[in-house]
Amino acid sequence: MFAVLKTGGKQYRVQAGDVLRIEKLAANAGDKVQFNEILMIGGDAPVVGAPLVEDAGVQADVIDNIKGEKVINYVKRRRKHSSQRTKGHRQQLTLVRITDILASGAAASGVMAAIGAGSAPAAASAPAAASAPAAQAKPAAKVKPAAKAAEAAPAAAGADDLKQLSGVGPTLEKKLHAAGVTTFAQIAAWTEADVAAMDEKLSFKGRIEREGWIEQAKKLAAG
């Protein structure tokens, strides 16, 4: 009997006793692992998966974690900025010996699944992420303090309609309310220091004087 399994993005045709060098697994020497991505079971009664053979598995013993042959990568750039770089790489591999091919019953075998070393941290952190409270998983959207204050400042009882002032719309009126300005009398009593401070709060320097808010407020306050 033989099987075709998939691991590390590659496919291998194996039978009992074969020794394979595969992409590194999250396992140590001496561990017993089971490959669950089986594409085909061959023999007297062959079975082809669609894409996997249900409940089939291939069990193996981990012999050792090794490194592949060194590969040299040389890059040279010409033209305007000439540069060159030599880089070596040795792929992390796992050496395994195939011990058994299961045409069925793999789900109930209890043998540790063969998981790639690169995907092991993500798999381990998945339960922790799932158990985290929803409030921690998705932080609340930040709101700028000025905008938040403007939204939270409704017109006080007895407040004047500040939109009667030249250049004041609903948004600017909210900002004035947030700054504690709700009546024409308050604006009519502004001093030069008050105007300078309000210019900074409302971020439009000189507009109060250009629009003549104080003079307008005095007339509106007088009725």
Side-chain angles (χ1 to χ4, degrees), residues 43-215:
D44 297 334
V47 181
V48 178
L52 303 179
V53 180
E54 188 176 354
D55 204 24
V58 172
Q59 296 180 354
D61 291 331
V62 177
I63 300 173
D64 200 2
N65 288 314
I66 60 174
K67 288 185 178 181
E69 294 77 11
K70 190 170 186 178
V71 178
I72 302 297
N73 182 26
Y74 177 73
V75 178
K76 182 174 182 179
R77 296 184 179 88
R78 299 177 61 188
R79 308 290 188 275
K80 188 174 180 180
H81 301 290
S82 179
S83 65
Q84 58 185 5
R85 180 184 65 190
T86 301
K87 194 174 182 181
H89 173 71
R90 294 185 67 186
Q91 183 66 30
Q92 299 282 339
L93 302 171
T94 296
L95 199 62
V96 299
R97 178 179 287 108
I98 304 301
T99 58
D100 199 7
I101 297 175
L102 305 177
S104 62
S109 67
V111 178
M112 176 177 66
I115 301 174
S119 61
S125 61
S131 61
Q136 295 178 4
K138 186 176 181 181
K142 293 183 178 179
V143 180
K144 290 183 179 180
K148 187 175 181 180
E151 292 175 4
D160 293 327
D161 183 7
L162 301 183
K163 294 191 294 297
Q164 295 183 46
L165 295 172
S166 176
V168 178
T171 301
L172 194 51
E173 185 181 44
K174 286 182 180 179
K175 290 184 178 181
L176 289 168
H177 288 167
V181 179
T182 59
T183 64
F184 296 130
Q186 288 176 281
I187 298 173
W190 279 353
T191 63
E192 291 185 4
D194 294 330
V195 171
M198 196 57 61
D199 280 342
E200 293 295 329
K201 286 183 181 180
L202 303 181
S203 302
F204 48 70
K205 192 171 183 179
R207 184 170 184 177
I208 296 173
E209 295 178 350
R210 286 196 306 271
E211 300 288 353
W213 283 10
I214 295 176
E215 290 73 15

Side-chain angles (χ1 to χ4, degrees), residues 15-33:
Q15 58 187 14
D18 287 351
V19 176
L20 300 178
R21 293 199 316 169
I22 59 177
E23 296 292 322
K24 187 177 180 182
L25 301 177
N28 299 317
D31 290 346
K32 189 176 186 66
V33 296

